[in-house]
Structures are given as C-alpha cells and as structure tokens.
Amino acid sequence: KQEVTQIPAALSVPEGENLVLNCSFTDSAIYNLQWFRQDPGKGLTSLLLIQSSQREQTSGRLNASLDKSSGRSTLYIAASQPGDSATYLCAVFSTGNQFYFGTGTSLTVIP
Amino acid sequence: DVKVTQSSRYLVKRTGEKVFLECVQDMDHENMFWYRQDPGLGLRLIYFSYDVKMKEKGDIPEGYSVSREKKERFSLILESASTNQTSMYLCASSDGTGAEKLFFGSGTQLSVL
C-alpha cells in the first residue's frame, strides 16, 4: 500500500526566508501529486497539481517539483510571509484510483 | 469557480442520534469522497463513489453509510452516533478524467456528546 511521509512535522521560519517542504512516497506508480494548504478548522485548498509526466509546477511564490523515480516531491515557498502560516499536505493519486495523503507540515512564519 | 459545499460547519449531536452530513458539488464531477481528519492520524477515507447510486468502502467504513442519489450530492450518514465519531469530516470531489485534481469542501466539525 502507498505510504506518504512529510518531514518535518512542524517548521518555524522568520519572515522573508525561502523554505522547502518535503513529501516522499513509497510506490512510484503514481498518476499525479497534489499540494494542499489547510488553515486551522478549515478544508483543504489545492495549491499545485503535478501530473506524473511533469517535473514541476509554479504558481506565484510557490514551486513544486516531482521526482517519481526517487519517490519525492518538494514545495518551495519563496520570500515567506506570515500569511503563509498553515499546514501543508501532499497527496498522491495512485494505483487503485486512490488518493494517499501525508500527515502534513505545520508552517509558522514569524513576523 | 469550482465549489464543494458542506451543509454545516459545526454540528453537536447526542450519542445514539442519526446524523446526516450533506455535500454538494457544482462541477459535474464523477467522483466524490468522504474523509475524516483527526490529530495525529491525518485524513482517512470513509467511503467514496464513482457514479450515481454507486459506493465503495474506504479504510474506515464501520459505523457509517452513504447515499448518492444524484450526481452532485453525496451524503454521509452516521446511523447511531458515538463519541469516537467526533471529528472533522471533509468531503471532496474529482472529475474522473485521470487528471484527478481533488477539490475539498470547508469541512464539518462534528462533536458527539
């Protein structure tokens, strides 16, 4: 069964810093990988979707990369802001038409 | 814009009550999902549906049932609520084309007393 891991579980950085969040998965047979943001007590908001044939996707200050062969994805956030504080989750869409989620990285950006 | 709507943000129910959680999507999506999210356990799949009147059990279906009478609506039913069903419930949908971008509702925080 696919397992998705996100390390670290929590991260605290000063405002303005560039940062990288990590996501790893055990089975490289994925169709896509999606990054989400979740604010406390709210649902998940999609940030970026990378199809299995793609290497990266960019949206504003966010850049997500995918290396299927090594089972890894990174979410790069440039020039972090306090409003970026949230939990970030990754999910892979994998064989069996199932989505598998990591448990998330809780990000705090300190003003 | 794409929208998945969950009928309640917060619900408080008594043990033994029958509870209905409603989810509606306006994107003509084929696939709909119900997850629960608990601290330290992440998202766990309860039930999903790939078509009207079709349902499949997820990882933790015990104590739950679902209904999908119309394509846009997917309901989660707690037949007899118990305190261990206190959780955040999240509904999601995807288009079923293979691109499978997942869209979530805003969640329902259910407390069973």
Side-chain angles (χ1 to χ4, degrees):
Chain A
K1 183 181 175 180
Q2 179 76 266
E3 291 185 8
V4 181
T5 304
Q6 292 185 248
I7 295 174
L11 182 64
S12 186
V13 300
E15 182 177 0
E17 194 162 293
N18 302 326
L19 60 101
V20 174
L21 305 180
N22 297 297
C23 172
S24 61
F25 46 95
T26 54
D27 184 352
S28 62
I30 67 169
Y31 299 113
N32 66 41
L33 185 144
Q34 199 167 351
W35 282 94
F36 295 90
R37 169 189 172 130
Q38 186 177 30
D39 294 293
K42 302 285 182 64
L44 280 67
T45 300
S46 180
L47 296 173
L48 290 164
L49 171 70
I50 311 175
Q51 299 296 342
S52 61
S53 58
Q54 298 174 324
R55 297 283 298 188
E56 65 179 303
Q57 283 287 328
T58 298
S59 176
R61 294 183 294 110
L62 306 180
N63 176 277
S65 67
L66 174 64
D67 184 343
K68 258 183 48 172
S69 60
S70 67
R72 293 184 180 181
S73 176
T74 61
L75 179 66
Y76 174 83
I77 303 177
S80 59
Q81 303 171 358
D84 294 329
S85 297
T87 297
Y88 292 81
L89 295 97
C90 65
V92 298
F93 183 55
S94 189
T95 52
N97 289 331
Q98 291 291 321
F99 292 92
Y100 298 89
F101 289 84
T103 51
T105 295
S106 177
L107 173 66
T108 302
V109 180
I110 304 164
Chain B
D1 205 5
V2 162
K3 199 151 189 179
V4 178
T5 302
Q6 293 183 233
S7 53
S8 305
R9 288 283 289 119
Y10 302 96
L11 274 180
V12 180
K13 297 293 182 180
R14 296 283 182 192
T15 302
E17 279 192 75
K18 191 168 186 176
V19 181
F20 294 86
L21 302 182
E22 305 287 347
C23 176
V24 178
Q25 49 94 2
D26 65 358
M27 299 163 282
D28 201 36
H29 279 177
E30 301 292 329
N31 307 331
M32 297 188 76
F33 306 83
W34 275 107
Y35 295 90
R36 63 176 284 177
Q37 185 179 33
D38 301 285
L41 296 177
L43 274 81
R44 292 181 290 169
L45 181 64
I46 305 171
Y47 268 97
F48 59 100
S49 170
Y50 288 150
D51 200 354
V52 175
K53 297 191 185 293
M54 177 270 185
K55 60 186 179 184
E56 292 285 345
K57 293 180 180 179
D59 299 319
I60 52 163
E62 297 77 19
Y64 303 94
S65 62
V66 290
S67 172
R68 194 167 181 198
E69 295 296 318
K70 293 184 178 181
K71 190 176 185 179
E72 67 271 18
R73 186 180 297 270
F74 192 36
S75 303
L76 180 69
I77 303 154
L78 286 65
E79 296 290 341
S80 178
S82 63
T83 55
N84 63 13
Q85 291 178 312
T86 291
S87 186
M88 168 68 91
Y89 289 87
L90 294 163
C91 175
S93 72
S94 67
D95 60 15
T97 63
E100 300 311 318
K101 186 172 181 179
L102 198 56
F103 295 89
F104 279 87
S106 55
T108 296
Q109 180 62 54
L110 173 66
S111 296
V112 182
L113 307 179

